[in-house]
Amino acid sequence: MKLNALLKTLGFLALAATPVVAGPSAPAPKNPIAPAPVDDDLGITASIGYDSNYVWRGINYGQHWVRAGVNGALLLVGGAAEDGAGSTSLLWDVNYGSLAGDQDHFSPNGLQTVGIKNTSSFQRLQLGAAISHDFGPASVSFGYSFIHNMGSLANGSGLNQLPFGPGGGYGMNDIQQLTLGVNTNLGPINLASSANYDLFNGGWYFDLTAKSTITVTDAISIVPHAGLGYGLNYNAGWTQASRNLYGGGGIFGQSAAQGGISGWTALNVGIDFPIKLNSRATLTPYVAFNVPMGPMKNMARSATNSYAPFPGVPGGPATAFHSVCYYGVTLSVRF
């Protein structure tokens, strides 16, 4: 009897400990769906970098360029296609650079005795924004950029004094340009082209670049690239007095009294070596070669030639328009 009473008691306790379930239990899913990851990508990339020579649109401005920048993309309209075709985005960028050590390639080397330094400081701030639309086969963008040139190379201090004459108008202007760009892929090759018009200084600059990415490992790639430039009354923001000075009495080596470069400017080829440090940081060393062409090549006078407009004064700005092999590195972090 005691044993039966004990078994009844244990059965009652087990029934009391069983949770009450309203209705039949649902079977566990065979392929449970993982929760979607939270997208915390802000679409912003910050970078810092160094270039042994600052080459911009075929002109070698000087040695040891240090730079920093921030750029981003804001999706305005999402594309209906799986590849994002049909989307519209706002692209923006802020960049700043400076010649470390003030080793520019324009200052005369033979006028130290009259107080003209053979090195000039130079800094550049660039702000840009563009609307880009993905049409599928190609992306088209239209934007505006403002380039503020600073330092003694830009304001002409040292040149705007004797013997060149006070207020000679030497130096550089700021640049305000409108840009129409097209980007597309032809198989493994990415092509990008742009037409740029300077609202403040006048003149056009066109460029065409091609690159391809060769994957070595999940973290390392090789990216060969080539770019070609063409100018139409292009003056790079230099004042008329500076263009006369650097061109040896003409405008960028031409005989015309006014205007700028019209023709091919330079061919630039190089190889980037991007290395993914983690999911957000990339280190990109590179090496490149710049070859001035046409009227820009004709500006590369020998450093032993006279520095116009002073016969017998050597040290003309030949290096700025000579072919140069240079290198650099960029560290970029995506947020």
Side-chain angles (χ1 to χ4, degrees), residues 6-151:
L6 179 61
L7 292 175
K8 290 180 179 180
T9 303
L10 292 176
F12 176 78
L13 293 175
L15 180 62
T18 303
V20 177
V21 178
S25 301
K30 296 181 179 180
N31 298 306
I33 300 175
V38 178
D39 185 8
D40 58 351
D41 194 331
L42 299 177
I44 298 175
T45 300
S47 65
I48 56 174
Y50 165 83
D51 307 292
S52 63
N53 288 267
Y54 177 44
V55 177
W56 186 69
R57 293 182 173 176
I59 300 176
N60 185 358
Y61 283 74
Q63 299 181 54
H64 307 306
W65 183 254
V66 292
R67 51 186 163 80
V70 181
N71 67 78
L74 178 63
L75 182 64
L76 301 179
V77 179
E82 293 183 359
D83 59 357
S87 63
T88 302
S89 300
L90 172 65
L91 312 179
W92 59 270
D93 65 275
V94 179
N95 297 280
Y96 176 82
S98 177
L99 288 177
D102 301 338
Q103 299 185 45
D104 78 287
H105 290 157
F106 293 94
S107 301
N109 298 321
L111 298 175
Q112 296 92 327
T113 57
V114 294
I116 306 299
K117 297 187 299 181
N118 64 344
T119 58
S120 296
S121 62
F122 180 59
Q123 301 86 40
R124 171 169 280 180
L125 173 66
Q126 179 170 335
L127 311 173
I131 296 293
S132 176
H133 184 77
D134 187 349
F135 288 94
S139 295
V140 177
S141 63
F142 180 75
Y144 167 85
S145 60
F146 172 74
I147 300 175
H148 180 44
N149 298 307
M150 300 167 284

Side-chain angles (χ1 to χ4, degrees), residues 8 14 16 30 34 53 55 60 71 77 100 119 171 203 210 222 232 244 255 263 278 284 300 311 313 321 324-325:
K8 290 180 179 180
K30 296 181 179 180
N53 288 267
V55 177
N60 185 358
N71 67 78
V77 179
T119 58
I222 299 175
L232 182 61
N244 289 338
S255 59
N278 54 43
T284 307
V313 177
F321 312 106
V324 61
C325 182

Side-chain angles (χ1 to χ4, degrees), residues 26-329:
K30 296 181 179 180
N31 298 306
I33 300 175
V38 178
D39 185 8
D40 58 351
D41 194 331
L42 299 177
I44 298 175
T45 300
S47 65
I48 56 174
Y50 165 83
D51 307 292
S52 63
N53 288 267
Y54 177 44
V55 177
W56 186 69
R57 293 182 173 176
I59 300 176
N60 185 358
Y61 283 74
Q63 299 181 54
H64 307 306
W65 183 254
V66 292
R67 51 186 163 80
V70 181
N71 67 78
L74 178 63
L75 182 64
L76 301 179
V77 179
E82 293 183 359
D83 59 357
S87 63
T88 302
S89 300
L90 172 65
L91 312 179
W92 59 270
D93 65 275
V94 179
N95 297 280
Y96 176 82
S98 177
L99 288 177
D102 301 338
Q103 299 185 45
D104 78 287
H105 290 157
F106 293 94
S107 301
N109 298 321
L111 298 175
Q112 296 92 327
T113 57
V114 294
I116 306 299
K117 297 187 299 181
N118 64 344
T119 58
S120 296
S121 62
F122 180 59
Q123 301 86 40
R124 171 169 280 180
L125 173 66
Q126 179 170 335
L127 311 173
I131 296 293
S132 176
H133 184 77
D134 187 349
F135 288 94
S139 295
V140 177
S141 63
F142 180 75
Y144 167 85
S145 60
F146 172 74
I147 300 175
H148 180 44
N149 298 307
M150 300 167 284
S152 56
L153 185 64
N155 60 36
S157 60
L159 291 179
N160 292 319
Q161 57 180 291
L162 292 175
F164 291 90
Y170 300 100
M172 302 177 66
N173 299 318
D174 290 338
I175 298 172
Q176 301 183 49
Q177 67 180 12
L178 296 177
T179 298
L180 177 64
V182 179
N183 191 303
T184 188
N185 291 316
L186 294 178
I189 300 177
N190 174 261
L191 294 176
S193 180
S194 70
N196 308 270
Y197 179 73
D198 191 337
L199 296 170
F200 188 82
N201 303 282
W204 291 82
Y205 188 85
F206 306 88
D207 59 24
L208 174 65
T209 60
K211 67 179 180 180
S212 182
T213 300
I214 303 171
T215 301
V216 179
T217 68
D218 291 341
I220 301 176
S221 301
I222 299 175
V223 183
H225 54 85
L228 188 63
Y230 186 90
L232 182 61
N233 296 323
Y234 178 66
N235 54 46
W238 293 99
T239 63
Q240 184 68 52
S242 291
R243 299 202 300 271
N244 289 338
L245 182 67
Y246 299 147
I251 308 303
F252 278 165
Q254 301 177 28
S255 59
Q258 301 289 328
I261 289 178
S262 290
W264 299 106
T265 56
L267 172 67
N268 190 284
V269 296
I271 304 177
D272 298 345
F273 303 94
I275 303 170
K276 291 185 63 176
L277 304 179
N278 54 43
S279 61
R280 295 188 178 272
T282 302
L283 184 70
T284 307
Y286 78 89
V287 61
F289 191 68
N290 185 69
V291 184
M293 303 170 62
M296 188 174 289
K297 179 181 179 181
N298 295 335
M299 298 171 62
R301 296 171 292 126
S302 170
T304 60
N305 287 353
S306 297
Y307 193 98
F310 300 98
V313 177
T319 309
F321 312 106
H322 275 161
S323 298
V324 61
C325 182
Y326 60 105
Y327 56 88
V329 63

